[in-house]
Amino acid sequence: MNKSLVKEVGKLLVIGFPGKEVPDYIRRMMHQYHIGGMILFSRNIGTPEEVLRLTTDLQKEAKKAGYTHPLLICVDQENGVVRRLGEGTTIFPGAMALGATNNPKNAYHIGLATAKELKALGINWNLAPVLDVNNNPDNPVIGVRSFGESAEMVADFGRQMMQGMQDGGVITTLKHFPGHGDTNVDSHLDLPVISHHKERLKKVELLPFQTSIDAGADTVMSAHVYFPAIESKQGVPATLSKKVITELLRTELAFDGVVTTDCLEMRAIANGVGTEQSAVEAIKAGVDLLIISHTANKQQDTIQKIIQLIEANELDRSFITQSIRRIDSLKEKYLHWDDIQLVGEEAVPKVINCKQHEEIAYQMYKESITVVKNENVIPVSLKEKDRVLVLWPNDGGTMGVEDKRHTTHALDEAVKSYHKEVDKIDVTDDMTALDIEEIVAKAHHYDFIFVGTLTITIGSKQVTLVEKLAQAQLSFVVIAMRSPYDLRYIPQVKAYINTYEFTYPALQVAAGAVFGKEKVSGTSPVTIFP
């Protein structure tokens, strides 16, 4: 087997692995194939010290294996509900929270601060910003990951976020091209279809991508979404479509940077032609980097399949050559061995979770938290012995891309930071009518109630619970901790606040606003009622 070809094909792969230490099979693959990059998930993330040790170990192995450039190491650090960094790092607001500040420069500042912390931990590539325009309230996978429903606004905020991260020395990725905002299917689970005609796509879905491409985008991630107005062949997702990747993205939008797939193990792809064959089709479409996040056999089999097809003259090697040119150019711009501490003990830089970053983030939260409705309920004034109840949605559904470890029971803790007498009751969607009556009966013994929601859906028992609380004329506020659209299902509430995310700082600022201790100024970046 041609060793040069093996390492060229290996450069196209970005792979994931379990654990906080580098497995032996990953080391072997780096030496044998010169794997291009690694993708880290929450399963790989521990303390800042552990993350830096892991990324440094990966780079040391790459150096040993004879890599010309350092290894690409990426994460989905969109902030908000989709973040990978954990304890000991700054919690920054996500896209829709930033959109609610109505100031695109805020996206630049958060992008810059995010990049500084990522780079300090040895992560050189962020799979962000999300440039999807969330104009479908029922979108199950984008939602608050988007800056809002206006294409122009998403374009402005997305460009600023991208430039902030680039100025912090981190590679950025525009996703999910050509747009995942107007879908009602999660591509982690099935293949979504967007049926808009080409002119509409240009005005809405494509505008943010064109804006950031013109401003110097590094990489673009393809969406596992089918666009019949662009791709005539039935059911071919954008990731595998030459018409989308080569004709639209490269020719019409004039992007000559690196194109990466979303994970090829997502069901929208894996349930079709399968992971290995989809990698081949993606290469033919014009994609450069292939992300296979989880399964070692699929990672290895994909490399072998591509090599076999090239050697059998069934896949043109020039596709690989062009991709290597683009990948090497990106690495030369951002990745340098001098930036990596290959000798001695790694020390976590002081920029991680520094006071300045905490202050920037807190200010952004104050500018983002949105009081959508308030009929003389807040601010609430309580005596020291008054009792407060928090109703927490214990089984609020999470998107596949979210980390469940970040959906902590933080609302009651946030309320306790302002008032001592606080109790919490978990609310689940398998509640019976009797359960609801019991909760309402208990609620009568409290002076004020916080109702947390995490994306209400039609038929949710939470709707019944809120209706009963309103009928009983109890004093309460709804804190929508993810979907800003929850008010559609509970229009009778007198006080309703959107935080756009369930991060602790967002909930703490919201609780502060309820008690009159924080002044918040967010404006909704989406239309809640049509």
Side-chain angles (χ1 to χ4, degrees):
M1 193 176 281
N2 185 323
K3 284 188 178 178
S4 154
L5 175 61
V6 168
K7 289 179 179 177
E8 282 181 17
V9 173
K11 266 190 177 183
L12 307 188
L13 258 72
V14 178
I15 63 176
F17 56 87
K20 296 173 187 174
E21 295 182 355
V22 185
D24 288 342
Y25 80 90
I26 290 290
R27 296 183 193 276
R28 287 195 298 271
M29 287 184 77
M30 289 173 71
H31 282 265
Q32 185 175 354
Y33 300 116
H34 275 208
I35 297 296
M38 299 290 161
I39 181 167
L40 305 183
F41 292 96
S42 58
R43 62 191 182 183
N44 308 113
I45 305 296
T47 63
E49 289 77 14
E50 287 173 320
V51 176
L52 183 57
R53 192 179 309 127
L54 173 63
T55 58
T56 305
D57 193 13
L58 283 166
Q59 296 294 12
K60 284 178 179 176
E61 201 64 51
K63 189 72 171 172
K64 265 192 227 171
Y67 279 46
T68 307
H69 304 99
L71 186 70
L72 289 163
I73 301 177
C74 66
V75 290
D76 291 288
Q77 189 68 18
E78 298 171 15
N79 298 319
V81 301
V82 177
R83 59 194 176 97
R84 302 296 179 234
L85 297 187
E87 56 186 303
T89 58
T90 309
I91 299 173
F92 293 112
M96 195 167 284
L98 289 172
T101 71
N102 205 28
N103 181 358
K105 208 65 189 168
N106 287 340
Y108 176 87
H109 295 308
I110 294 299
L112 179 63
T114 301
K116 285 180 178 178
E117 297 208 13
L118 288 172
K119 193 170 182 185
L121 295 178
I123 297 164
N124 50 42
W125 177 17
N126 194 8
L127 301 176
V130 170
L131 295 191
D132 303 308
V133 181
N134 199 77
N135 43 27
N136 185 338
D138 297 319
N139 192 315
V141 68
I142 302 302
V144 294
R145 298 168 67 195
S146 164
F147 292 105
E149 68 184 10
S150 155
E152 291 77 13
M153 177 189 175
V154 172
D156 288 345
F157 276 82
R159 178 177 59 81
Q160 291 281 356
M161 174 71 81
M162 177 189 81
Q163 290 177 328
M165 288 191 285
Q166 288 173 333
D167 287 352
V170 166
I171 297 165
T172 57
T173 297
L174 315 181
K175 64 187 192 187
H176 308 82
F177 185 84
H180 206 320
D182 197 3
T183 62
N184 56 11
V185 172
D186 183 347
S187 54
H188 292 84
L189 307 176
D190 206 346
L191 179 65
V193 178
I194 293 182
S195 300
H196 298 304
H197 55 76
K198 185 80 174 287
E199 284 310 306
R200 143 65 201 246
L201 292 173
K202 281 183 179 177
K203 286 179 186 172
V204 180
E205 278 75 13
L206 297 178
L207 177 65
F209 290 98
Q210 185 70 77
T211 300
S212 282
I213 286 168
D214 291 345
D218 301 312
T219 79
V220 172
M221 177 182 283
S222 61
H224 299 334
V225 178
Y226 172 47
F227 292 80
I230 306 170
E231 173 54 68
S232 55
K233 193 174 176 185
Q234 177 70 29
V236 175
T239 300
L240 313 184
S241 170
K242 187 175 182 178
K243 288 185 177 176
V244 172
I245 305 299
T246 297
E247 295 178 21
L248 177 60
L249 178 57
R250 294 220 184 274
T251 304
E252 287 188 44
L253 273 61
F255 179 66
D256 189 39
V258 170
V259 178
T260 179
T261 68
D262 207 336
C263 179
L264 294 176
E265 292 184 82
M266 288 163 60
R267 289 185 202 167
I269 289 284
N271 288 356
V273 297
T275 298
E276 295 88 348
Q277 184 60 35
S278 71
V280 175
E281 299 303 322
I283 290 170
K284 289 179 181 176
V287 166
D288 303 305
L289 287 171
L290 311 163
I291 298 182
I292 304 177
S293 307
H294 304 290
T295 312
N297 288 346
K298 288 184 178 179
Q299 294 160 357
Q300 191 143 342
D301 290 349
T302 297
I303 295 173
Q304 295 298 335
K305 186 177 185 77
I306 294 167
I307 292 168
Q308 286 164 10
L309 289 175
I310 291 172
E311 289 183 333
N313 293 318
E314 292 176 34
L315 180 62
D316 193 334
R317 189 168 178 173
S318 68
F319 285 119
I320 313 299
T321 307
Q322 290 168 18
S323 290
I324 297 296
R325 172 185 66 80
R326 287 188 281 257
I327 294 166
D328 283 350
S329 176
L330 180 69
K331 288 186 170 187
E332 281 161 15
K333 182 177 178 182
Y334 283 96
L335 309 186
H336 310 286
W337 287 115
D338 291 348
D339 292 343
I340 301 163
Q341 189 181 338
L342 297 170
V343 180
E345 200 64 31
E346 317 86 26
V348 174
K350 291 182 179 176
V351 72
I352 299 294
N353 205 24
C354 64
K355 193 168 190 298
Q356 183 192 16
H357 285 181
E358 281 196 347
E359 287 172 354
I360 290 170
Y362 207 77
Q363 180 59 35
M364 299 296 157
Y365 281 116
K366 289 197 287 186
E367 292 178 33
S368 72
I369 303 302
T370 306
V371 180
V372 179
K373 192 174 183 182
N374 180 25
E375 296 178 5
N376 300 315
V377 175
I378 54 178
V380 61
S381 179
L382 297 176
K383 302 188 185 85
E384 193 175 324
K385 291 189 177 179
D386 284 346
R387 300 178 71 203
V388 173
L389 177 64
V390 173
L391 298 178
W392 175 268
N394 195 34
D395 59 358
T398 56
M399 296 184 280
V401 74
E402 290 176 11
D403 282 336
K404 285 187 169 54
R405 67 185 180 139
H406 292 320
T407 49
T408 54
H409 290 197
L411 183 57
D412 59 312
E413 295 301 322
V415 174
K416 281 177 186 172
S417 69
Y418 295 97
H419 191 80
K420 288 181 181 177
E421 296 295 321
V422 179
D423 293 325
K424 175 172 75 76
I425 296 176
D426 285 348
V427 174
T428 61
D429 228 41
D430 59 0
M431 291 184 298
T432 64
L434 183 60
D435 293 333
I436 292 171
E437 292 296 341
E438 285 181 357
I439 291 172
V440 174
K442 287 178 182 175
H444 276 88
H445 298 289
Y446 290 85
D447 300 284
F448 193 74
I449 303 161
F450 285 77
V451 180
T453 65
L454 274 174
T455 308
I456 293 176
T457 54
I458 293 171
S460 169
K461 297 289 179 62
Q462 262 200 305
V463 173
T464 308
L465 175 60
V466 170
E467 286 172 350
K468 296 283 186 185
L469 293 171
Q471 286 166 11
Q473 297 188 331
L474 296 171
S475 186
F476 69 95
V477 61
V478 171
I479 309 291
M481 302 179 293
R482 190 201 287 115
S483 173
Y485 305 105
D486 285 353
L487 186 58
R488 295 184 302 165
Y489 301 99
I490 46 174
Q492 69 275 56
V493 302
K494 292 183 177 179
Y496 177 93
I497 293 176
N498 275 328
T499 64
Y500 309 101
E501 55 190 68
F502 39 71
T503 55
Y504 182 78
L507 300 181
Q508 187 176 34
V509 170
V514 171
F515 288 114
K517 304 294 185 183
E518 294 284 8
K519 186 177 178 183
V520 296
S521 58
T523 55
S524 180
V526 294
T527 305
I528 293 168
F529 293 101

